[in-house]
Amino acid sequence: MEDTRNLWSIVRDFLTRRTYREFLIFLFFLALSGIFWLFLTLNETYERDFDIPVTITNVPKNVMLTSEETDSVRMTIRDKGFTLVTYIWGNALPHLEVNYMNYSHNNGICSVPASDLQKLARQQLASGSRITIVKTEKLDFYYNYGDKKRVPVRWSGRVLPEQLFFISQVQYWPDSVTVYASKEKLDSINVVYTEQLNYANFRDTLMVECRLAKHKGVKTVPEEVKVGFYTDVLTEESIEGIAVKGINMPKGKFLRTFPAKVKVSFVTGASVFRSLRAEDFEVVADYNDLKNSLSDKCRIYLKSSPQGISRVRLSTTQVDYLIEEHTVE
């Protein structure tokens, strides 16, 4: 209790000092001058650019808008600072509604001229506001009559796991989406990509919810997907006992190589390696390379290999060979 009295005594003495009263007077006139300066500033006339939203309405039920239902048009508005502040921070900025039925339609495009947009905006602005510039010649809305197709989803961008890890599998939810567009555009769309992804230095499974890339006159349903990147540990492995086969051999001729089987080395994930077998690889020697060759060795190469591996190389690229001829009865 005694400490409280002492504290109050100190505060009371400070508040009654002349320096404190002078400080309060200074703050009062500082705030007053600030308010006066702000009033004079906002009373001046300025110009500012605004993105005014535009929504198309009264769309028939058999029409599918393939662009965003709400777009925006950029206009430069001139008025007192007080009014412009209400446009910036308040709810006084116009929201234009365009009647679909009032405009001509050509090849899946509904065009709204800038003069009409300016007229609609002027009706909702304050009486002292003037539109000095409309920075859009026209606003186009795209539509069709239900033309659509189902296409797969693929990711795009830069997704890199930590060193010694790699992406072993990618999954999508959903793995395909419905695309609405004009018939000409639908014919050229075989896949839909995500927005640009940018992830690096991860080692565990990465789950990303992202939007699909937008294209003018194309609508996708849904507009967002979930992508899962599954990682695995990189390992350098090899498989032995892969038989060398002859291809393009004439009837009655057979290729015998020495050695008859070779080893393949590669880089893959630990889980992928456990499922690999020698039969998954195909090593061949082409008779067309041998028939005019004077060398006693033939070149062999890897014709096919399973998915999920990289940096595949043979233990040797040349082997001794012998072409045997069997009589065909």
Side-chain angles (χ1 to χ4, degrees), residues 159-216:
V159 180
L160 298 174
E162 284 186 8
Q163 192 175 9
L164 302 182
F165 285 79
F166 81 111
I167 298 172
S168 61
Q169 183 183 6
V170 180
Q171 283 189 310
Y172 304 88
W173 297 272
D175 60 359
S176 59
V177 294
T178 302
V179 177
Y180 294 86
S182 64
K183 291 183 178 179
E184 294 77 10
K185 288 187 177 182
L186 284 177
D187 291 340
S188 64
I189 299 174
N190 297 313
V191 65
V192 173
Y193 290 96
T194 67
E195 62 186 0
Q196 291 291 305
L197 305 179
N198 187 15
Y199 296 91
N201 298 325
F202 62 94
R203 61 171 58 186
D204 297 324
T205 298
L206 175 66
M207 293 292 179
V208 179
E209 293 185 0
C210 59
R211 297 183 63 85
L212 296 173
K214 291 185 177 298
H215 300 281
K216 185 177 291 186

Side-chain angles (χ1 to χ4, degrees), residues 189-286:
I189 299 174
N190 297 313
V191 65
V192 173
Y193 290 96
T194 67
E195 62 186 0
Q196 291 291 305
L197 305 179
N198 187 15
Y199 296 91
N201 298 325
F202 62 94
R203 61 171 58 186
D204 297 324
T205 298
L206 175 66
M207 293 292 179
V208 179
E209 293 185 0
C210 59
R211 297 183 63 85
L212 296 173
K214 291 185 177 298
H215 300 281
K216 185 177 291 186
V218 178
K219 181 181 181 66
T220 58
V221 179
E223 296 182 343
E224 296 184 359
V225 297
K226 183 177 180 181
V227 186
F229 296 92
Y230 297 88
T231 58
D232 199 354
V233 180
L234 278 175
T235 178
E236 186 168 358
E237 300 290 351
S238 62
I239 291 181
E240 298 184 357
I242 300 173
V244 180
K245 301 176 183 178
I247 61 173
N248 298 319
M249 300 298 295
K251 192 173 183 179
K253 292 189 178 184
F254 297 89
L255 177 69
R256 190 182 298 275
T257 63
F258 307 94
K261 297 181 178 181
V262 294
K263 181 174 72 172
V264 173
S265 300
F266 50 86
V267 173
T268 187
S271 60
V272 175
F273 175 68
R274 289 192 290 268
S275 64
L276 295 179
R277 302 175 302 165
E279 293 76 14
D280 297 327
F281 299 83
E282 186 178 8
V283 178
V284 300
D286 194 342

Side-chain angles (χ1 to χ4, degrees), residues 314-326:
L314 296 171
S315 57
T316 181
T317 57
Q318 288 189 328
V319 295
D320 295 324
Y321 73 97
L322 178 66
I323 296 179
E324 298 179 345
E325 293 193 23
H326 294 182

